[in-house]
Amino acid sequence: MTPSRSPVTRAWRRWRRPRDLEVPRGAVDVEDANRRFLMYGVMPLWFVPAVADWLMHRRTRIEEPSGTKESAIHALMMTEAGVPVAMGLLARVNPLVLSLMGGAAVAHGATALWDVSLATGEREVRPVEQHIHSFLEVLPLSAMAFTCCLHWDQVRAALRGGDRPEDWKPLPKDNPLPARYLAAIGLGIGACVVLPYAEEMRRCLRAAKARKAV
């Protein structure tokens, strides 16, 4: 079967056709409240500690002691958090997506431990920065927990091994999130995560080049 004819490819070609998912602002039932907090609470909260952590790195001049190596670890952690976020925003939540979220959360925690172990041996890691790290570490777990609460049937399917073909396919949501919301989240990720840490990597590479030139 050619990629263009696969069911997954056909599904993603028309992923914006179904009606957008509605999250009423005034609804008080548990499902809508969980979804509203996940979309407008947990997701935006990721941006604040990400920027705060970047500022702490800049303040302690990360480019001089640990440099490119630590900045690369930061990029890895952002990827470990970003991939399941993208899947949760765009794809249908099924055993595949839940397994990816769980694996990414474990990998993110292990990488965070590696990051702190490296940083504390190379530069000053102040208590404020360590407290910021605690927020960054718990947010992926919080997002996964709320997602599991909203899709308990898929959690049970994952625990049973996912016996349906669609359980292990990256399919688009039956009702996609509003385009304006996705655009706002994408803009926030770009402005608060991608750009700051790209600037950090640029500083580290420039400092490493300057050291080699001496």
Side-chain angles (χ1 to χ4, degrees):
M1 179 183 295
T2 61
S4 61
R5 294 182 180 179
S6 71
V8 173
T9 302
R10 291 200 303 268
W12 280 104
R13 283 181 174 176
R14 54 177 184 269
W15 76 284
R16 292 302 314 177
R17 293 183 186 178
R19 187 176 180 181
D20 284 356
L21 177 68
E22 294 183 1
V23 184
R25 294 183 179 180
V28 294
D29 62 274
V30 174
E31 183 174 345
D32 281 335
N34 279 352
R35 183 172 286 113
R36 191 164 55 237
F37 182 69
L38 178 60
M39 291 172 61
Y40 300 105
V42 175
M43 281 301 303
L45 279 176
W46 182 30
F47 304 150
V48 178
V51 173
D53 197 36
W54 168 74
L55 288 172
M56 292 301 299
H57 300 162
R58 189 178 179 87
R59 184 178 179 181
T60 56
R61 300 187 64 83
I62 184 178
E63 65 271 18
E64 292 182 358
S66 50
T68 306
K69 185 176 181 179
E70 186 181 356
S71 186
I73 295 175
H74 297 158
L76 175 60
M77 285 194 292
M78 294 303 169
T79 303
E80 290 167 345
V83 170
V85 164
M87 293 292 287
L89 290 173
L90 303 175
R92 182 188 306 175
V93 176
N94 58 15
L96 171 65
V97 171
L98 291 175
S99 298
L100 189 149
M101 287 182 174
V106 172
H108 185 271
T111 308
L113 180 60
W114 178 24
D115 173 48
V116 174
S117 300
L118 171 67
T120 52
E122 299 287 342
R123 63 181 178 87
E124 180 186 9
V125 180
R126 301 180 181 182
V128 173
E129 183 177 347
Q130 294 183 7
H131 196 57
I132 292 170
H133 289 169
S134 68
F135 280 96
L136 289 169
E137 291 168 19
V138 78
L139 284 173
L141 297 174
S142 300
M144 182 179 175
F146 276 92
T147 302
C148 288
C149 289
L150 289 169
H151 301 277
W152 184 243
D153 58 329
Q154 297 302 318
V155 174
R156 288 183 296 182
L159 293 175
R160 293 169 182 166
D163 53 0
R164 298 178 303 174
E166 61 269 23
D167 287 344
W168 301 102
K169 292 180 180 179
L171 298 169
K173 291 185 180 295
D174 294 328
N175 297 104
L177 295 175
R180 287 196 297 180
Y181 174 79
L182 293 175
I185 291 295
L187 182 62
I189 292 173
C192 299
V193 179
V194 176
L195 287 179
Y197 287 90
E199 187 274 339
E200 175 182 286
M201 177 60 78
R202 180 174 175 272
R203 279 189 290 113
C204 291
L205 290 171
R206 187 169 54 190
K209 185 178 180 180
R211 285 193 296 269
K212 288 182 179 179
V214 174

